Amino acid sequence: MADNDTNGRRTGNRMSDATEEMSLDELREEIEEIDRELVELIARRTYVAGTVAQVKAERDLPTTDESQEARVMERAGRNAETFDVDANLVKAIFRLLIELNKVEQRESR
């Protein structure tokens, strides 16, 4: 049986056991649920980033904070390693999220 994370979700460990126990339809359903969770997390992150933009605007701070972006990217890389995911892929996703948030921040000013 596959290992579960602290929330009871399957992790990438022992995937061969998972494929033996789950049908193709069940695996696709699990991917569908994960996709929904990913979108929910992106929505939450976007909401919080929007709040950050409001605070920056109120305090007349610049849209771009390179040191904060560097910390986010470093953290993304560490998290990728922790979960044994390609760090370049994870960093590319975070670069995209950061750029989209910066565009939204600039447009809201």
Side-chain angles (χ1 to χ4, degrees), residues 46-65:
T46 300
Y47 173 79
V48 173
T51 305
V52 168
Q54 289 175 344
V55 171
K56 285 180 177 181
E58 290 168 2
R59 297 179 184 177
D60 200 30
L61 295 171
T63 300
T64 300
D65 182 345

Side-chain angles (χ1 to χ4, degrees), residues 37-75:
E37 290 173 11
L38 285 170
V39 172
E40 181 181 1
L41 290 171
I42 290 168
R44 284 178 49 200
R45 190 182 195 286
T46 300
Y47 173 79
V48 173
T51 305
V52 168
Q54 289 175 344
V55 171
K56 285 180 177 181
E58 290 168 2
R59 297 179 184 177
D60 200 30
L61 295 171
T63 300
T64 300
D65 182 345
E66 292 181 11
S67 64
Q68 175 61 17
E69 291 177 26
R71 286 190 297 273
V72 170
M73 297 305 291
E74 183 179 319
R75 186 173 58 234

Side-chain angles (χ1 to χ4, degrees), residues 7-24:
N7 293 318
R9 294 179 295 238
R10 289 189 189 279
T11 62
N13 299 332
R14 298 171 55 187
M15 190 55 77
S16 62
D17 289 345
T19 58
E20 291 173 11
E21 293 177 16
M22 299 179 77
S23 73
L24 185 57

Side-chain angles (χ1 to χ4, degrees), residues 46 49-58 60-66 69 95-109:
T46 300
T51 305
V52 168
Q54 289 175 344
V55 171
K56 285 180 177 181
E58 290 168 2
D60 200 30
L61 295 171
T63 300
T64 300
D65 182 345
E66 292 181 11
E69 291 177 26
R95 268 193 231 64
L96 179 60
L97 291 170
I98 289 168
E99 289 306 313
L100 291 172
N101 289 334
K102 289 193 306 189
V103 167
E104 288 181 14
Q105 286 181 32
R106 284 191 292 268
E107 289 175 354
S108 69
R109 287 192 173 202

